[in-house]
Amino acid sequence: MKKILMVLCIVYQLLNIQTVQAQVVPATSQPLVESEIFHLINQHRATNLLPLLRWASTPAHLARKHSLDMAKGLVPFGHQGVENRYAELIRKIPSLTRFGENVAYNFGFSNPAQQAVDAWLASPGHYANIMGDYNLAGVGVAKNLKGEYYFTQIFVKANVTQLNALEGKEESFHSGMEEDCIFDPPVELGIK
């Protein structure tokens, strides 16, 4: 009987560990990582004489939710649900004319934001989004208890005049977020 009870306790502990690992780390540092990614992308665009992207809360909210879902294992790493994010953007930003999305994940790097941006810049499809004809963007980052970072950046082209009418209602926009962040170190990187 003791052996059965001990086995049940071990099974419970293993199940409990898996449940905990599927949770995400409280979002204390994620806004800094989001800011850094946004800043790095705009820095790259400026170097190439492209207009800076403006931060938009709706794409950021959708990007953050997708990153959280990937970090929790609710959706696989990738673009699953992109059509739903696009539909929500059209609903909230009716003047939307163009949409793009980059996702990445990594762990074990001292600066996960820089690593994700470097990977996107090295990939032709992701680079095309970064350099594309967009004027708005939002970034979402989530980190799970295993230390894996999941990143989503959503790019939008929309009529800014119409968008300014939304400011203070459903949507908010601003053009700069400049905080830095540094985190910690084995290396695995994935981009889609």
Side-chain angles (χ1 to χ4, degrees):
M1 184 67 155
K2 283 185 178 181
K3 286 183 182 181
I4 292 173
L5 190 54
M6 189 157 47
V7 169
L8 288 175
C9 285
I10 291 170
V11 168
Y12 172 77
Q13 288 173 344
L14 288 173
L15 290 173
N16 196 30
I17 288 169
Q18 289 177 338
T19 302
V20 168
Q21 288 179 341
Q23 296 174 350
V24 292
V25 174
T28 53
S29 62
Q30 280 79 325
L32 296 175
V33 179
E34 291 169 356
S35 297
E36 183 174 6
I37 288 172
F38 187 74
H39 175 75
L40 290 168
I41 296 297
N42 263 342
Q43 197 172 40
H44 188 79
R45 286 176 63 91
T47 301
N48 288 278
L49 305 176
L50 290 173
L52 297 181
L53 299 166
R54 292 173 66 190
W55 182 269
S57 61
T58 295
H61 171 76
L62 294 171
R64 193 172 296 120
K65 182 178 179 342
H66 184 56
S67 291
L68 279 167
D69 287 349
M70 289 188 294
K72 290 177 181 178
L74 299 176
V75 297
F77 170 67
H79 297 284
Q80 184 171 324
V82 70
E83 59 285 331
N84 297 330
R85 290 186 289 285
Y86 178 74
E88 181 69 11
L89 283 168
I90 287 287
R91 194 177 72 70
K92 295 246 179 147
I93 307 174
S95 66
L96 183 144
T97 59
R98 187 177 172 114
F99 166 87
E101 178 180 89
N102 286 349
V103 297
Y105 90 95
N106 64 50
F107 70 93
F109 291 102
S110 63
N111 190 332
Q114 183 70 60
Q115 204 58 45
V117 171
D118 288 348
W120 284 336
L121 292 173
S123 163
H126 299 96
Y127 187 79
N129 278 341
I130 290 167
M131 303 298 284
D133 182 23
Y134 299 106
N135 57 348
L136 303 171
V139 178
V141 176
K143 179 183 176 186
N144 64 22
L145 294 179
K146 294 187 272 184
E148 299 167 331
Y149 282 86
Y150 290 83
F151 309 89
T152 306
Q153 182 165 28
I154 294 176
F155 301 89
V156 172
K157 170 83 175 195
N159 182 320
V160 177
T161 306
Q162 290 177 4
L163 292 175
N164 288 335
L166 291 173
E167 201 163 340
K169 295 177 186 167
E170 293 182 44
E171 188 62 71
S172 65
F173 309 96
H174 56 87
S175 58
M177 300 178 73
E178 56 275 325
E179 287 153 326
D180 264 341
C181 63
I182 306 225
F183 294 90
D184 11 60
V187 285
E188 191 166 310
L189 174 69
I191 59 172
K192 281 203 177 183

